[in-house]
């Protein structure tokens, strides 16, 4: 089966010292990979390289077999949806108008959105279950609603690959689960998802696979069970981390321990 995403020997620096070094992993259609790692380990930089926002120093990124270095920004935007980290929306638009703006790569310059664009935006809102927010001003939503709108906006181009940079980091329990369930549902529709998180528990909740970044190197990649271990998490986060099975829930949890 053709791979949705193939990252090969990727290296990147902002100028002084490597931020990503020799990062390689791949992702199939409908798979979710959680990229774990402490603050500053390079998670956002990796996602920005995949999104085509940063240009790697070396290595390659293939989407559906095509080298993204040979694709224009518009082509990349048609294949990839990207939700940046910590993105509070303060524009004076309605939710629907804001989501329509996600169609920009498909609109020729100066063209107004047409009925098709509005239809697609409405479909995106429905896909993440927030059709009722369509007419609300985007500036005064709750944190959870804001994140769902950003995901809807990234979906309006019907991307094959969705990149989410810490989509749950400012959310309460209920909204964390809402986002994770949405991510799972999108994957079950065939979308491939790369999700940065510093919550290893979230990998147990939704991840097919996990990867651990430490100091810009991928120190582990594979099934969540094999990556999210006490030994690996303790080493990556620099603090003792217990990983325990909760028997009656048939689920593992991850707990940072005091020194
Ligand atoms: P994470 O998302 O895992 O917290 P980042 O990818 O944001 O990590 O950052 C990785 C490293 O790159 C950090 O050392 C950070 O300080 C550095 N960095 C991030 N953005 C820039 C930038 N625009 N210019 C220079 N250094 C940066
Ligand atoms: Mg980050």
């Amino acid at each position: 089966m053709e791979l949705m995403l193939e990252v090969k020997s990727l290296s990147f620096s902002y100028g002084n010292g490597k931020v990503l070094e020799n990062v390689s992993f791949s992702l199939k259609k409908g798979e979710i990979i959680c990229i774990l790692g402490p603050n500053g380990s390079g998670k956002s930089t990796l996602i920005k390289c995949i999104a085509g926002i940063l240009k790697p120093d070396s290595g390659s990124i293939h989407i559906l077999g095509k080298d993204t270095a040979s694709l224009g920004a518009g082509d990349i935007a048609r294949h990839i949806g990207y939700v940046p980290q910590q993105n509070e929306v303060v524009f004076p638009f309605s939710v629907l108008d804001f989501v329509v703006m996600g169609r920009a790569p498909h609109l020729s310059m100066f063209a107004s959105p047409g009925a098709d664009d509005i239809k697609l935006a409405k479909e995106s809102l429905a896909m993440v279950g927030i059709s009722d927010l369509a007419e609300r001003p985007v500036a005064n939503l709750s944190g959870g609603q804001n994140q769902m709108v950003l995901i809807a906006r990234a979906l309006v181009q019907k991307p094959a690959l969705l990149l989410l940079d810490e989509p749950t980091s400012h959310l309460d329990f209920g909204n964390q689960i809402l986002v994770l369930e949405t991510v799972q549902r999108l994957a079950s529709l065939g979308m491939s998802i790369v999700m940065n998180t510093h919550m290893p528990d979230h990998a147990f909740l939704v991840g097919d696979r996990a990867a651990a970044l430490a100091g810009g190197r991928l120190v582990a990649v594979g099934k969540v069970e094999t990556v999210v271990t006490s030994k690996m998490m303790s080493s990556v986060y620099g603090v003792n981390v217990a990983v325990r099975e909760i028997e009656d829930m048939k689920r593992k949890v991850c707990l940072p321990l005091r020194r």
Side-chain angles (χ1 to χ4, degrees), residues 5 7 25 46-52 61 63 76 80 161 163:
L5 170 69
V7 175
F25 70 94
L46 174 59
I47 267 195
K48 286 178 193 165
C49 286
I50 299 170
I61 298 160
I63 308 266
I76 293 178
I80 301 179
L161 175 67
L163 308 174

Side-chain angles (χ1 to χ4, degrees), residues 14 16 19 37-46 48 85 165-166 196 213:
Y14 287 100
N16 42 356
V19 170
N39 297 327
S41 56
K43 301 183 298 298
S44 295
T45 304
L46 174 59
K48 286 178 193 165
Q85 190 173 0
D165 200 349
E166 298 201 25
N196 282 352
L213 262 181

